[in-house]
């Protein structure tokens, strides 16, 4: 899959602050969106997903927002912790479990 | 509980010497994927199996092959590794239509010397 676009390759935040990572996707037919966290030397780890019939979904300290009008996806992390430091990838697909198209990734750095 | 298991985690191979990476899954997912990931880049899909059907990406070099002997196992064969093949290789699995996310293994870091 080719990349969807990410505009902020590196995001640096203070510990305890909220983080927002953004992603633009290209396929208006995509029905399923997912965020992965990838720590150094490890595989991508599922964080949260959302279907196109929703515009917001919350998990533990994380929220995903979907704006289908402008084809934009964001991941919000509340009270960012040092353990949140990683690269975050968004991905889209036609439905859950189908082939993914990845975004380019954003590196989140948390300053103590 | 590791559900997508890749072995080995680190592999060093000589230039031109065939190497095989393995992946197993305990999820009974019918789709298995192999991705190549280079530093600071998104994973790049090489190919995938939908059940027994092999699907190669158009730009995947012939140097890369795959085998899936059964539902649980999938192998990535690199016939003649070059220096440019040094990367993280990720295996992933999914089951379309069940509403669940694609899950990744921890990857194999391949070094070519």
């Amino acid at each position: 899959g080719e990349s969807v676009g990410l505009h902020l390759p590196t995001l640096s935040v203070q510990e305890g602050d909220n983080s927002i990572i953004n992603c633009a996707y290209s396929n208006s037919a995509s029905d399923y969106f997912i965020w992965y966290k990838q720590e150094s030397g490890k595989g991508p780890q599922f964080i949260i997903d959302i279907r196109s019939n929703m515009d917001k979904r919350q998990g533990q300290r994380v929220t995903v927002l979907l704006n289908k009008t402008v084809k934009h996806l964001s991941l919000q992390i509340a009270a960012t912790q040092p353990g949140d430091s990683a690269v975050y990838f968004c991905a889209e697909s036609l439905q859950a479990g189908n082939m993914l198209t990845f975004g380019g990734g954003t590196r989140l750095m948390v300053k103590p | 509980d590791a559900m997508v298991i890749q072995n080995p985690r680190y592999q060093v191979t000589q230039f031109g010497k065939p190497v095989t990476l393995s992946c197993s899954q305990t999820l009974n997912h019918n789709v298995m994927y192999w991705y190549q990931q280079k530093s600071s880049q998104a994973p790049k899909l090489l190919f995938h199996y939908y059940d027994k059907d092999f699907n190669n990406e158009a730009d995947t070099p012939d140097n890369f092959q795959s085998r899936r002997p059964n539902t649980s196992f999938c192998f990535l064969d690199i016939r003649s590794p070059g220096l440019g093949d040094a990367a993280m290789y990720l295996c992933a699995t999914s089951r379309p239509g069940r509403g669940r996310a694609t899950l990744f293994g921890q990857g194999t870091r391949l070094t070519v010397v």
Side-chain angles (χ1 to χ4, degrees):
Chain A
E2 297 299 322
S3 293
V4 297
L6 278 181
H7 304 294
L8 298 173
T10 302
L11 176 65
S12 184
V13 300
Q14 203 71 38
E15 181 179 357
D17 287 351
N18 297 334
S19 304
I20 300 175
I21 301 172
N22 296 301
C23 175
Y25 66 93
S26 58
N27 188 354
S28 56
S30 291
D31 181 60
Y32 177 76
F33 304 87
I34 187 168
W35 282 99
Y36 289 97
K37 172 186 180 184
Q38 188 173 24
E39 296 175 278
S40 181
K42 297 184 178 180
Q45 176 188 359
F46 167 80
I47 302 174
I48 192 167
D49 57 5
I50 189 169
R51 286 171 179 76
S52 63
N53 61 350
M54 302 173 67
D55 53 20
K56 180 179 180 179
R57 191 169 187 217
Q58 289 184 293
Q60 187 176 12
R61 283 201 306 117
V62 295
T63 301
V64 55
L65 299 177
L66 175 63
N67 185 330
K68 295 181 287 293
T69 303
V70 295
K71 297 204 283 285
H72 184 267
L73 190 67
S74 69
L75 176 71
Q76 299 179 356
I77 304 174
T80 313
Q81 302 169 359
D84 295 326
S85 295
V87 176
Y88 290 80
F89 290 100
C90 68
E92 60 175 312
S93 67
L94 296 179
Q95 66 170 330
N98 276 26
M99 197 176 311
L100 296 170
T101 299
F102 275 92
T106 294
R107 183 176 303 278
L108 177 65
M109 299 175 61
V110 182
K111 297 178 289 185
Chain B
D1 294 337
M3 294 178 288
V4 183
I5 303 164
Q6 292 189 242
N7 283 305
R9 290 292 313 279
Y10 301 92
Q11 175 73 56
V12 180
T13 190
Q14 291 181 332
F15 182 94
K17 183 176 181 180
V19 64
T20 295
L21 310 181
S22 72
C23 177
S24 64
Q25 53 125 342
T26 59
L27 300 159
N28 201 33
H29 283 176
N30 57 334
V31 187
M32 294 187 77
Y33 307 83
W34 279 104
Y35 288 85
Q36 180 192 65
Q37 186 179 30
K38 297 194 174 180
S39 181
S40 300
Q41 296 182 21
K44 178 181 183 298
L45 183 64
L46 295 173
F47 26 59
H48 73 279
Y49 275 94
Y50 198 116
D51 295 318
K52 296 181 180 180
D53 294 332
F54 178 71
N55 299 271
N56 200 31
E57 292 299 295
D59 58 353
T60 298
D62 292 340
N63 197 27
F64 293 88
Q65 304 286 322
S66 186
R67 295 169 285 134
R68 189 179 186 185
N70 54 52
T71 301
S72 301
F73 286 87
C74 196
F75 300 98
L76 170 62
D77 301 308
I78 308 177
R79 294 192 297 187
S80 181
L83 297 179
D85 296 327
M88 173 76 91
Y89 289 88
L90 297 165
C91 174
T93 73
S94 72
R95 192 168 185 90
R98 294 294 181 92
R100 299 292 181 90
T102 299
L103 298 178
F104 284 82
Q106 290 288 46
T108 295
R109 170 72 66 187
L110 179 69
T111 300
V112 182
V113 297

